[in-house]
Every structure is written in C-alpha cells, then in structure tokens.
Amino acid sequence: MATPVKLNPKQWVALAGSFGVLALLVMMWRWGGTVEDSQAYFDTARYLRGEVPASALRAPFPYRLLAPAVAAAIPGDTRNSFALLNWLCISVSAIMMALTVLRVGASRKAALIAGLLMILAVPTYWYAPYLLTDPASICARAAFVLAVVSGQPWLAALAGVTASAVREENILLLVWLLAMRRISIPAGLLALAVAGAWMVAVRWWLIPGLPSYVWAPSVQTLIAALKDVRSLASIASAIGLVLPLALLGMLTRTTAAPTLQALAQLKPLKSLLVLMALPPLYAALCVRVEGRAVWGLYPMLVPFAAIYSAAWLTRRQTGVQE
C-alpha cells in the first residue's frame, strides 16, 4: 500500500482557500438563480421558513429535504443562503477529492488536478449557481468516497445516510457498503434503516400532505430524449474531459509503479460507479435528463482522472527535460 502524501496545515489552508475562491468565481455569474427544478427546491426552502404554503410544493422535489432545510436554517435571505450552501458544498467537494487522491499515495499534483476537475467543469459552471440539491449530493458522495479509500466504514455509513437524506437514490451507497462487506451486516442494516426512516418521515410526517409521484418508464420518453439536442449537449459537456480521463486511468497498465499502486487502491470505486450510474439510466427512461446525471458521478470518476492526468503530465515534463 502506498504511503499517503501529506500537506502541512498552511498548505491545506492555501489549497482550501484557493478552491473556495475559484469556486466562487465560477459560480457568481448566476448566483442563486432559479429555473425549472431549482425553483421547486427554492420553494421547499421557503416553505420551511414559512414563506409559502405546502400547496406550493411539487413532487418529487420536497422529498429531497435536507439541503433546502440546511439552506433555510442559514440566516439571511433564503436565496442567498441556498447559494451559499451550494458554494460551500462545491468547495468542500474539491478539497475531499484532493484528499482522496492523497490518501491512496498519489502526488500533490494529482491532488491539485482533482480539485480543479471538480470546480473547472461545465456542470459546476452551469448548474452549481442554481438552487439545486446536486452540490450537496455530490459533497456527500465525495465524503463517502474519501471514507472508503481511508478505510473508515463508519464514516462512510454516516456519509451514505446523509447523502440519502439529500437525494433518495444515494441509498445505493449504503447498499454497496453492505454488499461489498465494507461494514458489518448489523451496522449496514442499521444505516439502511435510518436512511429509510428519514424518507418515510419526510413523506408522511415532516411535510404533511405531500403529493405522490411515480417514475414510469416510457419508450416515448426515451425517443424524446434522443431528439433533445439541448439535453444531449448538456450530457456531452458534463462528460467533457473527466470521463475519458477516468476511463484511461481505469484501463492504463503502462505507467509508473506508484501511479499503478494508487490507481489499484481506487479499484473498489469501479463497482460503486456502475451501481450509482443505474438511477440516472433509469431516469432517462422516465423523465428528461441532462448533464447533472453525469455530474453526480464525478466523485467516483475524478480520482481516476486526476491520477492519470498527473502521471501523463509528469511523463511529458520528463520527456521535455530529456
């Protein structure tokens, strides 16, 4: 097992501050914007502050209660509080991705690239400024990945429960944790029970009278999606450099031994990636999907992409020097 590369406190402060400023610059163009789904999440936060009645809520958005609840609890204007939460989530996600690659013994260059890939991405520029729950979901997934590679199953379970409270499909994180025997069966079942209890409480107790909804697969929906140029362009932009670089990192066999060792420690993320890709694939049969479907997979893709990119840049620099 590779020895983790460490940063001193000053370096971490500088890195975290840089990521925070960069994320703010990327997001400030449409800070607190609301359109389509984001309006529904904004209304959920406003409902929790008593600004709108329950009749203003639309399913399934109120079921994803945790992020709007945290935003509503932050003092100040609701719109600004929600945007602030999203900025914090993006900044922390970048930091945790950097820490993830350091945990597996990758270089500081790889850590920097990991954070930059999380921030300097089209989905971050396009979606993060809006009042959506995706930044909080991605942050919780990043925490889950970090806990897994750090060998901390209880922290992974906590991250999984939190992620499930943000978006319901994240309960698959706990399913994976249990199926891969990363946690004991009693502990895994307890985590699943807590996540399930939260969802039941939201549906039947915390917000009385929530409307029900069903995602029914439809061939017409799929055909419409294949004709939706805007959605396809959004998905393509989210794929961007991250997915190709991640695939190269997963498949590479011809690189330096330390890099191969670091990539080998990320191997469990491959099965997690496949599992977490199932909900957006199913959603594509039921509703309109866009680049956010790929963006949510970044916590599993970025570590591979960052480590491969750092190794490639090192080889290029070495070749130029020679």
Side-chain angles (χ1 to χ4, degrees):
M1 182 175 179
T3 303
V5 178
K6 295 183 179 180
L7 300 179
N8 61 46
K10 289 184 178 180
Q11 289 172 326
W12 272 117
V13 170
L15 188 65
S18 299
F19 285 160
V21 171
L22 188 59
L24 181 61
L25 292 175
V26 170
M27 294 174 59
M28 66 187 301
W29 74 281
R30 192 64 174 85
W31 183 266
T34 49
V35 60
E36 298 178 351
D37 292 3
S38 58
Q39 181 63 50
Y41 293 121
F42 179 47
D43 288 341
T44 302
R46 294 173 65 205
Y47 163 78
L48 294 173
R49 284 193 171 187
E51 297 174 2
V52 298
S55 59
L57 304 182
R58 296 186 292 116
F61 308 103
Y63 292 97
R64 300 156 188 168
L65 188 62
L66 184 58
V70 174
I74 298 175
D77 176 72
T78 308
R79 186 181 298 274
N80 190 61
S81 298
F82 209 143
L84 176 64
L85 172 64
N86 284 358
W87 169 71
L88 289 172
C89 288
I90 293 298
S91 302
V92 172
S93 297
I95 295 168
M96 288 192 291
M97 284 290 96
L99 186 54
T100 295
V101 300
L102 290 177
R103 286 290 190 191
V104 298
S107 65
R108 296 177 182 179
K109 182 187 296 183
L112 178 61
I113 292 174
L116 293 177
L117 286 175
M118 290 297 293
I119 297 173
L120 298 179
V122 173
T124 306
Y125 170 79
W126 189 254
Y127 297 112
Y130 291 96
L131 305 184
L132 297 165
T133 59
D134 299 83
S137 177
I138 289 170
C139 185
R141 290 186 181 192
F144 182 88
V145 168
L146 175 58
V148 167
V149 302
S150 300
Q152 300 291 333
W154 278 103
L155 290 178
L158 178 60
V161 170
T162 303
S164 301
V166 176
R167 291 184 68 92
E168 65 277 8
E169 69 266 24
N170 286 326
I171 200 170
L172 291 179
L173 296 173
L174 299 173
V175 172
W176 180 89
L177 199 64
L178 185 58
M180 294 293 106
R181 296 295 191 269
R182 294 278 172 156
I183 197 170
S184 66
I185 293 179
L189 293 177
L190 175 61
L192 282 169
V194 171
W198 166 263
M199 295 177 189
V200 171
V202 171
R203 176 66 179 86
W204 300 106
W205 180 55
L206 294 180
I207 305 182
L210 269 180
S212 61
Y213 73 101
V214 176
W215 280 15
S218 168
V219 175
Q220 288 75 18
T221 300
L222 180 60
I223 294 174
L226 295 175
K227 295 179 180 179
D228 190 338
V229 177
R230 183 179 176 183
S231 294
L232 294 176
S234 173
I235 293 171
S237 66
I239 290 173
L241 290 175
V242 172
L243 181 58
L245 289 174
L247 292 176
L248 288 171
M250 293 177 189
L251 300 174
T252 186
R253 296 293 182 271
T254 57
T255 188
T259 299
L260 289 177
Q261 292 175 5
L263 290 170
Q265 292 187 57
L266 295 176
K267 186 177 179 181
L269 299 185
K270 295 180 181 179
S271 59
L272 180 61
L273 173 64
V274 172
L275 183 62
M276 298 310 295
L278 295 180
L281 289 175
Y282 178 76
L285 299 174
C286 307
V287 294
R288 180 179 179 269
V289 295
E290 51 194 11
R292 286 185 290 156
V294 180
W295 190 29
L297 302 177
Y298 273 28
M300 284 74 75
L301 294 171
V302 163
F304 288 101
I307 293 173
Y308 176 83
S309 300
W312 182 83
L313 288 173
T314 299
R315 290 197 303 270
R316 291 276 296 179
Q317 292 171 354
T318 302
V320 170
Q321 292 173 359
E322 293 176 349

